[in-house]
Amino acid sequence: MSATFRLDRLLANMGYGSRREVQQRVRAGAVVLDGAVVTEADMKIVVTPDLPARLFIESAAIDPPPGLALMLHKPVGVTCSHKESGALVYELLPGRWRRREPTISTVGRLDKESSGLLLLTDDGALLHRIISPKHHVAKSYVATLARPLQGDEGARFAAGTLMLDGEDKPLAPAVFEPLSPTSARLIVTEGRYHQVRRMFAAVGNHVNALHRDRIGALALPADLAPGDYRLMTPADIAAVFA
Ligand code: URA
């Protein structure tokens, strides 16, 4: 079911300015819907995904309406958390998107030194479906290690008994695949703090570089450069849960 909003509220919530500023833009004839200049700022708009093809402000298509989901190639050095120092992943998005309501949040986190596929959405229900342990969404990481693999990592990660330092609940079984003497893929379904780095620490190794290349069956697109993002299609969202 599609939500209906007053035009001025919708545009204000999408970061186009205060309600008053949006009303001024409507009065100035800057807003066009379905080819006709809009005269009433309080007209009701049914929010559908095709709105950017129909609604223009100063001749530019409006941003994706609420209910957006993005995939972003997080570069090393940017952070997902306001608690860490440094540039935030949100700074990789258009400035207007940082004023949106509902706000756009990351779906889980990648730590500052890790790179790869990061999802963002303003859809709270979608966010919870992806991060909820109930759905067991698998996250695939490629770890570059400081020391050679010992050969027992696969069994230890699969056991369902491995404990992380400072925790009292064993990790769920994880899938391990060696890629070279000092690199491996690890597929986990949980999302504990710095989980992959701490898993390798628990088996006596150290992660020098960590890259997430897949969430569910959704792979980081090869043509999505570090720092770039794109809108997720319904098929991309379905792939997360496949
Ligand atoms: N595990 C980590 O150690 N870091 C991440 O960013 C994600 C998983």
Side-chain angles (χ1 to χ4, degrees), residues 165-188:
D165 222 16
E167 295 195 5
D168 52 13
K169 186 169 173 272
L171 287 164
V175 175
F176 172 83
E177 179 196 349
L179 299 174
S180 80
T182 54
S183 67
R185 176 184 302 283
L186 188 57
I187 302 175
V188 302

Side-chain angles (χ1 to χ4, degrees), residues 126-208:
L126 175 65
L127 187 149
H128 287 291
R129 259 174 75 214
I130 300 174
I131 64 173
S132 156
K134 268 205 320 244
H135 289 98
H136 302 289
V137 172
K139 286 144 287 189
S140 166
Y141 296 87
V142 174
T144 308
L145 303 163
R147 289 181 275 283
L149 295 166
Q150 294 169 29
D152 62 349
E153 291 87 350
R156 295 182 70 186
F157 290 150
T161 53
L162 191 70
M163 298 289 283
L164 291 180
D165 222 16
E167 295 195 5
D168 52 13
K169 186 169 173 272
L171 287 164
V175 175
F176 172 83
E177 179 196 349
L179 299 174
S180 80
T182 54
S183 67
R185 176 184 302 283
L186 188 57
I187 302 175
V188 302
T189 54
E190 296 170 291
R192 302 196 198 184
Y193 180 70
H194 287 187
Q195 179 168 341
V196 174
R197 292 177 190 275
R198 292 166 70 214
M199 285 175 76
F200 279 103
V203 297
N205 214 320
H206 176 81
V207 172
N208 281 341

